Amino acid sequence: MTADPTLPRHAPPGTGAIVVGAGVAGVSAATVLAERGVAVTLVEAAATLGGRLGAWPVTLPDGSEQVVEHGFHAFFRQYYTWRDVLRRIDPGLGFLAPVEGYPVISRRFPPEDLGGLPAAPPLNLLALFARSPSLTMRDLAGADVALGTELLTFDRHRTVTVLDTMSAGEFLAGLRVSDRAREMLFEAFARSFFCDPDGLSAAELVAMFHFYFLGNPEGIGFDAPRTDHLHAIWAPLAEYLRARGATIRTGCALRSLRPDGPDWALELDDGATLTSRHVVLALDPGALREVVGASPGLASVAPRLAAQAAGLTTAPPFVVSRLWLDADVDPSRAVFNAVSGEATLDSVTVYSRLEEPSAQWARGSGGSVLELHSYACTEPDGAADRMRAELAGLWPETAGPAQVHRVDRVDATAPAFPPGSAGTRPGVRTDARGVRVAGDFVEAPLVCGLMERAAVTGVLAAADVLAEVGATGVDVYGVPQRGLLAGLPSRARHRAVGRPAPRTGL
């Protein structure tokens, strides 16, 4: 998507906008608007920026300070829009370092490393078949080739028509591959989108396979910040925004909004009322549902947005447990490990080998810093203890060390993409004139996921504001939008009831 170079780059003097939500989507929108001369007010309910990528300091029993995050996030190299935003604070992205390997570990099967494959499809797929111990002819005997071909024939409209009413769990079971191939190559990937496979649309799963692997020219390699997210990302971005005149208000949530002549009046929970002609709602799906539900004036002029927001659902809670142990883990352990086959634990990250503050603490103490993550936890009570026990079954050396400190967090802000939901979520542009929506649940005109979907919709929300005031937008790029074998007739059409193709917001 290319911006119109004939239009002015900057907004007319006096243009203002309110961006609600300071996660990836909101900060991306605010960044583009502020550097184009828009007077931006960024409103965030939490005390810190970042949303699900946020970070905050904690004090350990030894008196040292560490910064913890909501959980490990991989900065994949096809995150073109999010990386472009991050280049505002580091043009060379020097704060990111490659994370070597992508092992999937299990108690039932030997590890499966998805790292080190050729970057571009179909070479990555051929290499995976050549080296994977889970993709032998025996493992694939009896596989449903027709259904498996859907992974290679991704086309947004056709894939939604064929697969949206099927769950990802049904899709994976329907592939009829061996237990080993399903657990090690498919289920671990499916759960990484914060959704249980039975509650995730198969169409969304196939789209994510395309974006992250089968249609991605950058490969499955990824990077991570060399230091904590607070100092690497959010403090520099806040400084960047303030230097361009933006106002950042943290610790105050949006309660409701209503039409106020040509403007919108936003009621905050600290008693303040803000008004603006242009509003970007960059909230998580549950918060957006609550705000729109508490805004009858909005619903009266924007019935479609009201209906879309009311239908939004969140995935089961995710649980993150950061552990400081008094001994190190085996030197052979990878930095990031996807986990398959455990009831609760979905990934383990050795933070003391990932980022410098954790590494410094480990060097001084002789210990290690680990993060355990459950992506879609239906029983969050006691989940941190269960993850620790499951880790000991995978890595026996973690059973003995004493726990110096532990920080647990349970949150339920990730979006759900249930079967049959395509086309029901809001797009960037809404039927409420002047109100845009951004976030990783928003329908985007490009196939993308997680942080990149948040950044894309945030940048497009800013571009829509600029278009309304006569300024040019922003170039947005994506991976190839169709699969390697797109265009072949579907042989799985009988498996799902056809649905209309999804509507996109822009």
Side-chain angles (χ1 to χ4, degrees):
M1 302 179 64
T2 306
D4 185 347
T6 66
L7 295 175
R9 179 174 173 80
H10 285 82
T15 303
I18 299 173
V19 179
V20 184
V24 172
V27 169
S28 296
T31 296
V32 172
L33 291 170
E35 61 193 12
R36 299 298 187 87
V38 177
V40 175
T41 299
L42 180 61
V43 178
E44 169 56 44
T48 56
L49 307 188
R52 290 205 309 279
L53 199 68
W56 58 95
V58 298
T59 301
L60 302 189
D62 62 8
S64 64
E65 183 177 275
Q66 293 271 288
V67 174
V68 298
E69 292 98 24
H70 278 291
F72 175 81
H73 287 72
F75 290 64
F76 285 91
R77 289 158 197 163
Q78 73 273 29
Y79 285 1
Y80 305 127
T81 302
W82 178 221
R83 284 171 173 256
D84 186 54
V85 171
L86 293 172
R87 283 190 175 91
R88 268 69 165 193
I89 56 174
D90 185 346
L93 297 182
F95 73 93
L96 293 176
V99 178
E100 300 299 332
Y102 191 156
V104 180
I105 59 175
S106 167
R107 277 193 259 192
R108 292 185 63 194
F109 306 110
E112 180 88 40
D113 194 349
L114 302 181
L117 295 171
L123 295 179
N124 56 1
L125 185 60
L126 294 174
L128 180 63
F129 269 93
R131 82 179 197 191
S132 172
S134 300
L135 288 177
T136 65
M137 294 304 296
R138 182 176 180 179
D139 291 303
L140 297 176
D144 187 327
V145 176
L147 196 59
T149 302
E150 292 296 319
L151 294 168
L152 298 170
T153 58
F154 172 76
D155 174 271
R156 174 176 296 195
H157 298 281
R158 190 198 60 78
T159 298
V160 165
T161 299
V162 175
L163 295 177
D164 186 51
T165 55
M166 179 189 290
S167 75
E170 291 170 331
F171 180 86
L172 296 177
L175 290 176
R176 297 203 305 266
V177 296
S178 68
D179 289 348
R180 177 174 178 171
R182 186 180 67 253
E183 286 191 19
M184 301 302 289
L185 297 178
F186 294 105
E187 289 185 355
F189 178 85
R191 290 187 63 82
S192 63
F193 298 100
F194 296 89
C195 294
D196 184 86
D198 290 333
L200 175 68
S201 162
E204 181 70 15
L205 177 67
V206 170
M208 293 302 97
F209 264 108
H210 176 81
F211 179 65
Y212 284 96
F213 185 60
L214 297 174
N216 167 29
E218 307 296 337
I220 204 168
F222 55 86
D223 308 311
R226 299 175 187 271
T227 189
D228 62 81
H229 294 169
L230 177 61
H231 293 97
I233 299 172
W234 300 115
L237 280 173
E239 181 180 353
Y240 182 89
L241 286 169
R242 291 190 177 103
R244 283 150 187 81
T247 299
I248 300 175
R249 299 179 59 146
T250 58
C252 53
L254 174 64
R255 283 185 174 176
S256 63
L257 68 163
R258 55 179 169 78
D260 184 20
D263 297 331
W264 291 92
L266 285 73
E267 306 288 342
L268 306 183
D269 65 357
D270 63 359
T273 299
L274 306 179
T275 59
S276 178
R277 174 69 185 80
H278 304 287
V279 177
V280 178
L281 299 177
L283 301 165
D284 66 71
L288 179 64
R289 184 180 62 237
E290 291 178 7
V291 166
V292 174
S295 305
L298 170 67
S300 67
V301 298
R304 188 180 70 183
L305 175 59
Q308 291 169 332
L312 291 172
T313 56
T314 54
F318 59 90
V319 182
V320 181
S321 182
R322 183 73 65 90
L323 303 174
W324 287 262
L325 303 180
D326 69 355
D328 202 357
V329 296
D330 190 293
S332 66
R333 305 304 186 192
V335 170
F336 173 79
N337 306 261
V339 175
S340 181
E342 298 298 328
T344 310
L345 181 63
D346 287 313
S347 72
V348 54
T349 305
V350 185
Y351 259 73
S352 45
R353 299 175 188 170
L354 175 73
E355 58 163 33
E356 181 53 32
S358 294
Q360 183 176 0
W361 183 88
R363 287 194 296 268
S365 66
S368 58
V369 184
L370 308 180
E371 182 199 87
L372 313 183
H373 204 157
S374 181
Y375 294 135
C377 188
T378 55
E379 297 181 9
D381 291 344
D385 291 331
R386 297 197 305 273
M387 288 195 294
R388 177 76 191 272
E390 291 167 6
L391 177 65
L394 290 160
W395 292 358
E397 73 273 17
T398 64
Q403 180 176 288
V404 177
H405 194 56
R406 188 174 97 181
V407 173
D408 300 332
R409 187 168 184 91
V410 179
D411 211 337
T413 56
F417 299 88
S421 64
T424 66
R425 293 180 290 276
V428 170
R429 185 182 296 148
T430 75
D431 55 340
R433 182 172 174 81
V435 176
R436 290 86 178 173
V437 179
D440 61 357
F441 62 94
V442 173
E443 295 278 7
L446 302 174
V447 59
C448 48
L450 298 177
M451 288 192 286
E452 181 66 358
R453 186 180 300 186
V456 164
T457 55
V459 167
L460 290 178
D464 198 53
V465 173
L466 294 171
E468 185 168 329
V469 299
T472 191
V474 180
D475 294 339
V476 176
Y477 304 100
V479 304
Q481 295 296 291
R482 303 181 77 215
L484 292 170
L485 303 180
L488 291 180
S490 173
R491 297 165 59 192
R493 195 174 301 278
H494 67 282
R495 297 178 179 274
V497 177
R499 292 181 55 82
R503 298 183 299 272
T504 57
L506 279 176

